[in-house]
Amino acid sequence: MKILMYSVRPDEQAAIHDWADRHQVQVDTNDLEFHPDTAHLAQGYDGLIIQQRSAIGDDPSVYQQLADWGLKQLTSRTAGVDTIDVAAAKAAGLTVTNVPAYSPNSVAEMAVAQTMRLIRNLELFDRRIGQQNFQWAGLQAREIRSLTVGIIGAGRIGGVAARLFHGLGAKVIAFDPVHHAELTDVLTYVDTKEDLLRQADVVDLHVDLNPTSQGLLDAAAFKQMKNDAFVVNASRGPVIVTADLVAALKAGELAGAALDTVEGEAALFNQDHSDDVLQDPLIAQLMQMPNVMITPHVGFYTNLAVKNMVDISLDDVLTIVQGGTSEHTI
């Protein structure tokens, strides 16, 4: 049996080699994204795993080509599958799987860390100290126990974030069409998104990217929030309308934002642009704002999460190739 993994980073190799040794399966890797012009590399393999920041493309024949080569599945070793045309893959007879919960703690802890940094004004102090200005006037912090944290999307990751924020003493409210009884000891559900936006001092986003979540926070939403509230996004970039966020920050409608993901990130994140002029004017404006933190979609990037992403995706491929059924089938 041979499995091919696309877009493999050096830090994934140890986990891949460990899995391959334990299962006595050949696992080959490359550092390319899967697209129609790189699909030919999968010919001759029994299993295929990808990790995408950009869409595979709008040519559905690539999925049929995989099936014609004898492949039975297409596995993403991430939670998101919006880069895959799932309907086209299924029409070609491919089983599509993902890794829905590689480590909810990793992303939830990132959101908490970003929140603490915002409410303590640490990014503003960093700028002052960088200018050898050691004054602290005007940067009084707020304690987490005095704040209401509003979580939009209280699923696997949002639920862990709720427990972490509750453990720190915050009041936690959540908006989610699904109410999880096991979370009612740490959060209170509100009926509408608008209820959450009006009450929250921190709006923490943990939603999948789908038609109902795209543009979830726009100009109208920002106007419903408190002027001293923060936005934390460790989910997917398009859930926030970036142009509206920039306008709201400039107008003083928000106190600040922490963005681990942003619209248009595929052209920038995990790349070195230190010698370039940024071509995205909105991201460039955000980077110049002292009350905005941007990190390059690394909320998932921990030791345990990377190992889980590798192990779960490879386990699923092995199961499907051997005729079994994966619980992670889309």
mmCIF file of all heavy atoms in Angstrom, residues 93-119:
data_model
loop_
_atom_site.group_PDB
_atom_site.id
_atom_site.type_symbol
_atom_site.label_atom_id
_atom_site.label_comp_id
_atom_site.label_asym_id
_atom_site.label_seq_id
_atom_site.Cartn_x
_atom_site.Cartn_y
_atom_site.Cartn_z
ATOM 1 N N GLY A 93 -17.291 9.193 -7.084
ATOM 2 C CA GLY A 93 -17.183 7.978 -6.291
ATOM 3 C C GLY A 93 -16.144 8.028 -5.195
ATOM 4 O O GLY A 93 -15.815 6.991 -4.594
ATOM 5 N N LEU A 94 -15.638 9.225 -4.911
ATOM 6 C CA LEU A 94 -14.628 9.375 -3.865
ATOM 7 C C LEU A 94 -15.284 9.643 -2.513
ATOM 8 O O LEU A 94 -16.240 10.416 -2.415
ATOM 9 C CB LEU A 94 -13.676 10.530 -4.197
ATOM 10 C CG LEU A 94 -12.876 10.426 -5.498
ATOM 11 C CD1 LEU A 94 -12.078 11.702 -5.715
ATOM 12 C CD2 LEU A 94 -11.950 9.214 -5.481
ATOM 13 N N THR A 95 -14.747 9.036 -1.479
ATOM 14 C CA THR A 95 -15.157 9.341 -0.115
ATOM 15 C C THR A 95 -14.304 10.489 0.395
ATOM 16 O O THR A 95 -13.067 10.416 0.342
ATOM 17 C CB THR A 95 -14.972 8.120 0.810
ATOM 18 O OG1 THR A 95 -15.809 7.056 0.353
ATOM 19 C CG2 THR A 95 -15.328 8.462 2.241
ATOM 20 N N VAL A 96 -14.931 11.554 0.857
ATOM 21 C CA VAL A 96 -14.211 12.727 1.359
ATOM 22 C C VAL A 96 -14.251 12.720 2.884
ATOM 23 O O VAL A 96 -15.325 12.607 3.483
ATOM 24 C CB VAL A 96 -14.834 14.030 0.828
ATOM 25 C CG1 VAL A 96 -14.077 15.243 1.375
ATOM 26 C CG2 VAL A 96 -14.827 14.039 -0.702
ATOM 27 N N THR A 97 -13.086 12.835 3.498
ATOM 28 C CA THR A 97 -13.023 12.899 4.957
ATOM 29 C C THR A 97 -12.180 14.095 5.393
ATOM 30 O O THR A 97 -11.399 14.638 4.608
ATOM 31 C CB THR A 97 -12.411 11.614 5.570
ATOM 32 O OG1 THR A 97 -11.024 11.518 5.181
ATOM 33 C CG2 THR A 97 -13.144 10.373 5.105
ATOM 34 N N ASN A 98 -12.361 14.467 6.633
ATOM 35 C CA ASN A 98 -11.554 15.545 7.215
ATOM 36 C C ASN A 98 -11.123 15.147 8.619
ATOM 37 O O ASN A 98 -11.375 14.032 9.066
ATOM 38 C CB ASN A 98 -12.336 16.856 7.234
ATOM 39 C CG ASN A 98 -13.488 16.840 8.227
ATOM 40 O OD1 ASN A 98 -13.951 15.776 8.641
ATOM 41 N ND2 ASN A 98 -13.971 18.008 8.604
ATOM 42 N N VAL A 99 -10.461 16.073 9.307
ATOM 43 C CA VAL A 99 -10.074 15.862 10.704
ATOM 44 C C VAL A 99 -10.784 16.944 11.512
ATOM 45 O O VAL A 99 -10.254 18.037 11.716
ATOM 46 C CB VAL A 99 -8.547 15.943 10.894
ATOM 47 C CG1 VAL A 99 -8.174 15.642 12.339
ATOM 48 C CG2 VAL A 99 -7.837 14.978 9.949
ATOM 49 N N PRO A 100 -12.008 16.687 11.952
ATOM 50 C CA PRO A 100 -12.822 17.740 12.552
ATOM 51 C C PRO A 100 -12.331 18.223 13.910
ATOM 52 O O PRO A 100 -12.639 19.333 14.315
ATOM 53 C CB PRO A 100 -14.204 17.084 12.667
ATOM 54 C CG PRO A 100 -13.928 15.623 12.711
ATOM 55 C CD PRO A 100 -12.736 15.404 11.844
ATOM 56 N N ALA A 101 -11.573 17.399 14.612
ATOM 57 C CA ALA A 101 -11.152 17.781 15.974
ATOM 58 C C ALA A 101 -9.746 17.293 16.248
ATOM 59 O O ALA A 101 -9.539 16.379 17.029
ATOM 60 C CB ALA A 101 -12.127 17.217 17.005
ATOM 61 N N TYR A 102 -8.777 17.905 15.581
ATOM 62 C CA TYR A 102 -7.392 17.486 15.805
ATOM 63 C C TYR A 102 -6.884 17.934 17.162
ATOM 64 O O TYR A 102 -6.066 17.279 17.779
ATOM 65 C CB TYR A 102 -6.462 17.976 14.691
ATOM 66 C CG TYR A 102 -6.783 19.336 14.136
ATOM 67 C CD1 TYR A 102 -6.284 20.487 14.703
ATOM 68 C CD2 TYR A 102 -7.592 19.459 13.010
ATOM 69 C CE1 TYR A 102 -6.565 21.732 14.190
ATOM 70 C CE2 TYR A 102 -7.877 20.699 12.470
ATOM 71 C CZ TYR A 102 -7.365 21.833 13.066
ATOM 72 O OH TYR A 102 -7.656 23.072 12.548
ATOM 73 N N SER A 103 -7.341 19.067 17.637
ATOM 74 C CA SER A 103 -7.067 19.511 19.011
ATOM 75 C C SER A 103 -7.860 20.773 19.288
ATOM 76 O O SER A 103 -7.360 21.879 19.057
ATOM 77 C CB SER A 103 -5.575 19.776 19.234
ATOM 78 O OG SER A 103 -5.364 20.227 20.570
ATOM 79 N N PRO A 104 -9.093 20.633 19.762
ATOM 80 C CA PRO A 104 -9.866 21.833 20.102
ATOM 81 C C PRO A 104 -9.129 22.746 21.078
ATOM 82 O O PRO A 104 -9.279 23.967 21.017
ATOM 83 C CB PRO A 104 -11.138 21.243 20.735
ATOM 84 C CG PRO A 104 -11.268 19.888 20.112
ATOM 85 C CD PRO A 104 -9.855 19.392 19.967
ATOM 86 N N ASN A 105 -8.334 22.159 21.945
ATOM 87 C CA ASN A 105 -7.596 22.970 22.918
ATOM 88 C C ASN A 105 -6.632 23.934 22.247
ATOM 89 O O ASN A 105 -6.428 25.060 22.726
ATOM 90 C CB ASN A 105 -6.831 22.076 23.893
ATOM 91 C CG ASN A 105 -7.736 21.424 24.903
ATOM 92 O OD1 ASN A 105 -8.494 20.514 24.569
ATOM 93 N ND2 ASN A 105 -7.684 21.879 26.136
ATOM 94 N N SER A 106 -6.003 23.505 21.147
ATOM 95 C CA SER A 106 -4.984 24.352 20.525
ATOM 96 C C SER A 106 -5.580 25.674 20.069
ATOM 97 O O SER A 106 -5.029 26.749 20.356
ATOM 98 C CB SER A 106 -4.331 23.615 19.352
ATOM 99 O OG SER A 106 -5.276 23.350 18.320
ATOM 100 N N VAL A 107 -6.705 25.642 19.368
ATOM 101 C CA VAL A 107 -7.320 26.867 18.864
ATOM 102 C C VAL A 107 -7.979 27.649 19.998
ATOM 103 O O VAL A 107 -7.899 28.885 20.047
ATOM 104 C CB VAL A 107 -8.347 26.546 17.764
ATOM 105 C CG1 VAL A 107 -8.972 27.820 17.220
ATOM 106 C CG2 VAL A 107 -7.690 25.762 16.636
ATOM 107 N N ALA A 108 -8.617 26.932 20.923
ATOM 108 C CA ALA A 108 -9.262 27.612 22.051
ATOM 109 C C ALA A 108 -8.236 28.350 22.897
ATOM 110 O O ALA A 108 -8.465 29.485 23.332
ATOM 111 C CB ALA A 108 -10.027 26.593 22.901
ATOM 112 N N GLU A 109 -7.093 27.724 23.154
ATOM 113 C CA GLU A 109 -6.051 28.383 23.941
ATOM 114 C C GLU A 109 -5.512 29.613 23.221
ATOM 115 O O GLU A 109 -5.173 30.620 23.851
ATOM 116 C CB GLU A 109 -4.921 27.398 24.231
ATOM 117 C CG GLU A 109 -5.291 26.321 25.245
ATOM 118 C CD GLU A 109 -4.196 25.300 25.448
ATOM 119 O OE1 GLU A 109 -3.068 25.510 24.936
ATOM 120 O OE2 GLU A 109 -4.458 24.284 26.119
ATOM 121 N N MET A 110 -5.428 29.536 21.892
ATOM 122 C CA MET A 110 -4.989 30.695 21.116
ATOM 123 C C MET A 110 -5.965 31.854 21.303
ATOM 124 O O MET A 110 -5.552 33.008 21.501
ATOM 125 C CB MET A 110 -4.898 30.317 19.633
ATOM 126 C CG MET A 110 -4.423 31.437 18.732
ATOM 127 S SD MET A 110 -2.666 31.752 18.959
ATOM 128 C CE MET A 110 -2.323 32.751 17.504
ATOM 129 N N ALA A 111 -7.261 31.566 21.241
ATOM 130 C CA ALA A 111 -8.266 32.616 21.406
ATOM 131 C C ALA A 111 -8.181 33.248 22.794
ATOM 132 O O ALA A 111 -8.305 34.473 22.940
ATOM 133 C CB ALA A 111 -9.660 32.052 21.171
ATOM 134 N N VAL A 112 -7.963 32.429 23.797
ATOM 135 C CA VAL A 112 -7.834 32.951 25.166
ATOM 136 C C VAL A 112 -6.576 33.809 25.276
ATOM 137 O O VAL A 112 -6.597 34.898 25.869
ATOM 138 C CB VAL A 112 -7.812 31.807 26.186
ATOM 139 C CG1 VAL A 112 -7.489 32.332 27.576
ATOM 140 C CG2 VAL A 112 -9.153 31.082 26.201
ATOM 141 N N ALA A 113 -5.462 33.323 24.718
ATOM 142 C CA ALA A 113 -4.216 34.081 24.779
ATOM 143 C C ALA A 113 -4.358 35.427 24.078
ATOM 144 O O ALA A 113 -3.895 36.466 24.580
ATOM 145 C CB ALA A 113 -3.084 33.273 24.148
ATOM 146 N N GLN A 114 -5.011 35.427 22.915
ATOM 147 C CA GLN A 114 -5.216 36.680 22.189
ATOM 148 C C GLN A 114 -6.108 37.637 22.985
ATOM 149 O O GLN A 114 -5.859 38.849 23.027
ATOM 150 C CB GLN A 114 -5.843 36.393 20.824
ATOM 151 C CG GLN A 114 -4.901 35.724 19.849
ATOM 152 C CD GLN A 114 -5.583 35.385 18.549
ATOM 153 O OE1 GLN A 114 -6.725 34.944 18.519
ATOM 154 N NE2 GLN A 114 -4.892 35.583 17.440
ATOM 155 N N THR A 115 -7.137 37.089 23.610
ATOM 156 C CA THR A 115 -8.033 37.919 24.416
ATOM 157 C C THR A 115 -7.280 38.556 25.572
ATOM 158 O O THR A 115 -7.420 39.761 25.844
ATOM 159 C CB THR A 115 -9.207 37.078 24.946
ATOM 160 O OG1 THR A 115 -9.974 36.596 23.838
ATOM 161 C CG2 THR A 115 -10.104 37.902 25.859
ATOM 162 N N MET A 116 -6.487 37.770 26.270
ATOM 163 C CA MET A 116 -5.732 38.307 27.414
ATOM 164 C C MET A 116 -4.759 39.386 26.953
ATOM 165 O O MET A 116 -4.573 40.404 27.639
ATOM 166 C CB MET A 116 -4.985 37.168 28.111
ATOM 167 C CG MET A 116 -5.899 36.124 28.739
ATOM 168 S SD MET A 116 -7.044 36.817 29.971
ATOM 169 C CE MET A 116 -5.884 37.305 31.248
ATOM 170 N N ARG A 117 -4.166 39.181 25.819
ATOM 171 C CA ARG A 117 -3.232 40.187 25.303
ATOM 172 C C ARG A 117 -3.962 41.489 24.958
ATOM 173 O O ARG A 117 -3.457 42.586 25.220
ATOM 174 C CB ARG A 117 -2.522 39.629 24.078
ATOM 175 C CG ARG A 117 -1.408 40.506 23.549
ATOM 176 C CD ARG A 117 -0.527 39.770 22.557
ATOM 177 N NE ARG A 117 0.428 40.662 21.932
ATOM 178 C CZ ARG A 117 1.559 41.064 22.474
ATOM 179 N NH1 ARG A 117 1.887 40.655 23.696
ATOM 180 N NH2 ARG A 117 2.369 41.876 21.838
ATOM 181 N N LEU A 118 -5.164 41.363 24.396
ATOM 182 C CA LEU A 118 -5.928 42.556 24.053
ATOM 183 C C LEU A 118 -6.364 43.328 25.288
ATOM 184 O O LEU A 118 -6.191 44.551 25.360
ATOM 185 C CB LEU A 118 -7.157 42.167 23.225
ATOM 186 C CG LEU A 118 -6.942 41.806 21.756
ATOM 187 C CD1 LEU A 118 -8.219 41.238 21.160
ATOM 188 C CD2 LEU A 118 -6.472 43.013 20.952
ATOM 189 N N ILE A 119 -6.950 42.633 26.255
ATOM 190 C CA ILE A 119 -7.516 43.353 27.396
ATOM 191 C C ILE A 119 -6.438 43.900 28.322
ATOM 192 O O ILE A 119 -6.707 44.811 29.110
ATOM 193 C CB ILE A 119 -8.512 42.477 28.188
ATOM 194 C CG1 ILE A 119 -7.805 41.317 28.890
ATOM 195 C CG2 ILE A 119 -9.632 41.980 27.279
ATOM 196 C CD1 ILE A 119 -8.721 40.518 29.807
#
